[in-house]
Structure formats: structure tokens, C-alpha cells
């Protein structure tokens, strides 16, 4: 079965070509142009491919483009990330991900954080560096998210930091450690050129024998739900549901802590909303 949508690909490439002016890509305008945008020959030249092959693609013919050809056309036609992904899917190849993690949090996500006034929430990147958080999260994790904290990485904290407010029973701690390492392995394979990723792995290997053992197991995967037990200095023990929501466009996670209705944990979380945020203000 042919997984390529040749007709759609051809019309999409033509639309992208016609919207670009020669000056946008550093070309001089020579001669009279009967149609707007670039000529097919110019696109082929910018993409480093033959004019005959490019014409076939626009006409819905020819061999299936490789991932490298799609990338070359995306650069030549100044495609956005969404357009590049769309073109990749039209030819049946996996869209190329960036080599570096994106650390900028979308404004809409920051707005959601501010609206969550009764639930601690934070946003982390692919290796669980905390990028943004709300006031409830700062109250729940005062050591981890303190203004003076120099390393706000969930994985580093789990394996290398014996302090803090979290007290997890041995079974939960072992399971959570396996999940963190499995997710870090996925990120390490995806962002092999990012020194923030390789540096974190190296530091953990040097510092933690437990991490080295789990890393050598080569488990991969991701977890979206878990239970966290936190012994908080202001409100005491808390058992919270922890949900991780993934933003695939930026490969970031929003982690939200909630307490089940009708439990002492819910009452303690409400109290934290008063006591903890007052302490932050003071």
C-alpha cells in the first residue's frame, strides 16, 4: 500500500512555492514572471535536487521523497514547524524533531498555571528541569522551587538530593526512580546534541550508583500518572495524585498535584493554599 498522498503533497508544495518572493530567499528578480512566487527551477536549486524530480513531486508523480528530501524542501520553501511536520506525514515519514530541547513555555500554558489556584502545578522540559510553576507548587515544594535553588531538576533531586520535603516509601521510591530513568533515556536518544541532556546523564552517573544500575538496564517509556507522598513541614503528610500532561509540540510536561475529595489530604492541601502562600508572601 502506498502511504504517500501524492496529490495533496503536490498542491501543498505549489502553494508554498507561490507564496515566497525571490527576495525572501536572496534571489534577484530576472525577467518577467507570469506567476507569483518562486519558479520550480529555483526551488529545486535551493533544495539541492533536480528540476525534473521537483516537477514530478508537484505533479503528484515520481519516487517517494526521503526524510532528507522533505527537510531540504522545508528549508527551501521556508516552512514552519507545523508545515514541515505536515509535509513529512504526507509522504509517510516521521517528522524530524529539533536536536535541542525547547525551554520557552507557551504563554497559554503560563496562563493555565496562574488559573490553577487550588492545585500545585509546574511545567518541566523533556528531562524534567522545572521551567515554570504556580504559587501552590512553590508552597508544596519549598526546597525544590526556592528562589535560591540552583538545580531544579526532578531526576537529579530524586537520585542525588537527600534533603527536601518529599518522603516516599521504599516501594514507591523505587518505582518512581525506574520511571524517571526510562523517560530520561527517551530524551537522551532524542536530544543527543543537547549538552543539558548529556551533562545531566553524566552527573547522575558520577553521583548515584542506583542511577547507574537503572541506566544500564536500558528501560524506555513514559508515565503519566503516579502517587506522591510528601511530608510537608507546614501541613504534615500528604498523599497526592500526580498527573503529567504532555505538550508534544514543545516536548514539555505539565505536572499537576491533586488530592481526592473527602480526604484529610484535600483538607491539608486547602490549608497549604492559605498557610504556604502566606509564608511565600512574607
Amino acid at each position: 500500500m502506498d502511504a504517500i498522498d501524492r496529490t495533496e503533497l503536490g498542491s501543498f508544495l505549489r502553494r508554498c512555492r507561490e507564496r515566497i518572493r525571490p527576495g525572501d530567499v536572496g534571489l534577484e528578480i530576472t525577467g518577467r514572471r507570469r506567476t507569483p512566487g518562486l519558479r520550480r527551477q529555483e526551488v529545486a536549486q535551493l533544495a539541492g535536487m533536480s528540476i525534473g524530480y521537483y516537477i514530478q513531486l508537484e505533479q503528484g508523480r515520481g519516487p517517494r521523497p526521503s526524510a532528507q528530501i522533505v527537510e531540504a524542501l522545508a528549508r527551501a520553501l521556508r516552512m514552519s514547524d507545523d508545515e514541515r511536520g505536515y509535509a513529512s506525514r504526507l509522504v509517510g515519514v516521521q517528522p524530524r524533531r529539533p536536536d535541542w530541547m525547547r525551554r520557552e513555555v507557551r504563554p497559554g500554558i503560563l496562563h493555565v498555571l496562574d488559573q490553577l489556584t487550588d492545585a500545585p502545578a509546574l511545567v518541566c522540559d523533556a528531562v524534567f528541569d522545572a521551567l515554570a510553576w504556580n504559587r501552590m507548587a512553590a508552597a508544596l515544594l519549598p526546597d525544590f522551587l526556592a528562589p535560591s535553588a540552583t538545580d531544579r531538576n526532578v531526576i537529579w533531586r530524586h537520585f542525588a538530593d537527600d534533603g527536601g520535603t518529599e518522603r516516599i516509601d521504599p516501594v514507591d521510591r523505587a518505582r518512581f526512580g525506574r520511571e524517571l530513568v526510562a523517560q530520561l533515556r527517551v530524551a537522551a536518544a532524542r536530544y543527543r546534541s543537547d549538552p543539558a541532556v548529556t551533562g545531566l546523564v553524566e552527573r547522575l552517573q558520577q553521583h548515584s550508583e542506583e542511577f547507574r544500575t537503572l541506566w544500564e538496564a536500558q528501560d524506555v517509556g513514559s508515565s503519566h500518572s503516579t502517587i506522591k507522598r510528601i511530608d510537608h513541614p507546614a501541613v504534615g503528610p500528604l498523599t497526592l495524585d500526580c498527573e503529567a500532561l504532555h505538550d508534544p509540540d514543545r516536548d514539555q510536561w505539565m505536572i499537576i498535584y491533586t488530592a481526592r475529595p473527602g480526604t484529610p489530604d484535600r483538607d491539608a492541601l486547602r490549608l497549604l493554599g492559605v498557610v504556604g502562600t502566606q509564608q511565600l508572601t512574607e
Side-chain angles (χ1 to χ4, degrees):
M1 181 178 179
D2 193 357
I4 179 173
D5 189 337
R6 298 178 185 277
T7 302
E8 181 69 13
L9 176 65
S11 63
F12 181 65
L13 292 176
R14 183 165 56 254
R15 183 183 65 81
C16 290
R17 173 174 63 83
E18 291 175 348
R19 74 184 179 187
I20 299 176
R21 295 173 297 181
D24 295 339
V25 292
L27 296 176
E28 295 183 4
I29 299 178
T30 58
R32 185 176 179 181
R33 292 176 179 257
R34 292 176 296 179
T35 58
L38 298 178
R39 296 183 174 121
R40 292 187 179 93
Q41 182 177 356
E42 291 168 336
V43 175
Q45 183 179 8
L46 289 170
M49 59 192 298
S50 72
I51 176 62
Y53 183 33
Y54 180 75
I55 290 175
Q56 286 182 326
L57 291 178
E58 274 204 10
Q59 293 176 344
R61 302 184 293 109
R64 178 200 303 274
S66 65
Q68 291 75 18
I69 289 293
V70 173
E71 283 298 312
L73 287 170
R75 289 192 298 269
L77 295 171
R78 300 296 192 266
M79 292 184 189
S80 66
D81 289 343
D82 287 339
E83 290 171 334
R84 178 185 284 106
Y86 179 67
S88 297
R89 294 182 181 92
L90 287 177
V91 303
V93 300
Q94 186 69 22
R96 178 179 175 271
R97 284 185 174 271
D99 296 329
W100 296 66
M101 288 186 300
R102 300 184 66 174
R103 300 182 61 84
E104 304 83 10
V105 182
R106 292 192 289 116
I109 297 297
L110 294 176
H111 180 67
V112 171
L113 281 180
D114 290 339
Q115 296 301 306
L116 291 173
T117 57
D118 60 350
L122 62 153
V123 177
C124 297
D125 61 19
V127 296
F128 289 93
D129 277 327
L131 306 177
W133 51 90
N134 62 7
R135 291 173 62 84
M136 282 290 288
L140 179 68
L141 306 169
D143 296 337
F144 180 43
L145 300 176
S148 60
T150 57
D151 199 329
R152 299 188 179 100
N153 181 273
V154 174
I155 305 176
W156 174 261
R157 178 182 179 82
H158 181 86
F159 288 102
D161 185 2
D162 294 330
T165 59
E166 295 182 46
R167 300 292 183 267
I168 308 175
D169 67 57
V171 175
D172 285 348
R173 188 186 187 284
R175 172 185 49 77
F176 188 48
R178 290 194 300 271
E179 292 171 353
L180 288 174
V181 175
Q183 294 187 181
L184 180 58
R185 264 209 170 273
V186 174
R190 182 174 297 162
Y191 302 106
R192 289 177 291 180
S193 301
D194 193 324
V197 180
T198 56
L200 176 62
V201 173
E202 290 174 0
R203 285 192 298 136
L204 285 164
Q205 287 178 323
Q206 294 171 1
H207 191 92
S208 171
E209 181 178 354
E210 179 188 3
F211 175 84
R212 289 195 299 271
T213 300
L214 292 171
W215 187 256
E216 291 170 0
Q218 293 186 306
D219 292 334
V220 296
S222 61
S223 175
H224 296 262
S225 301
T226 189
I227 294 176
K228 297 296 291 291
R229 294 174 175 85
I230 298 174
D231 188 4
H232 195 276
V235 299
L238 287 162
T239 299
L240 302 175
D241 291 321
C242 180
E243 294 291 332
L245 310 178
H246 189 227
D247 177 357
D249 290 336
R250 300 209 173 188
D251 202 9
Q252 294 173 356
W253 296 85
M254 176 180 283
I255 302 172
I256 305 173
Y257 298 86
T258 59
R260 298 180 183 181
T263 64
D265 303 297
R266 183 68 171 267
D267 296 334
L269 196 58
R270 287 199 185 102
L271 179 60
L272 179 65
V274 177
V275 177
T277 54
Q278 283 180 348
Q279 292 175 344
L280 288 173
T281 303
E282 294 172 359

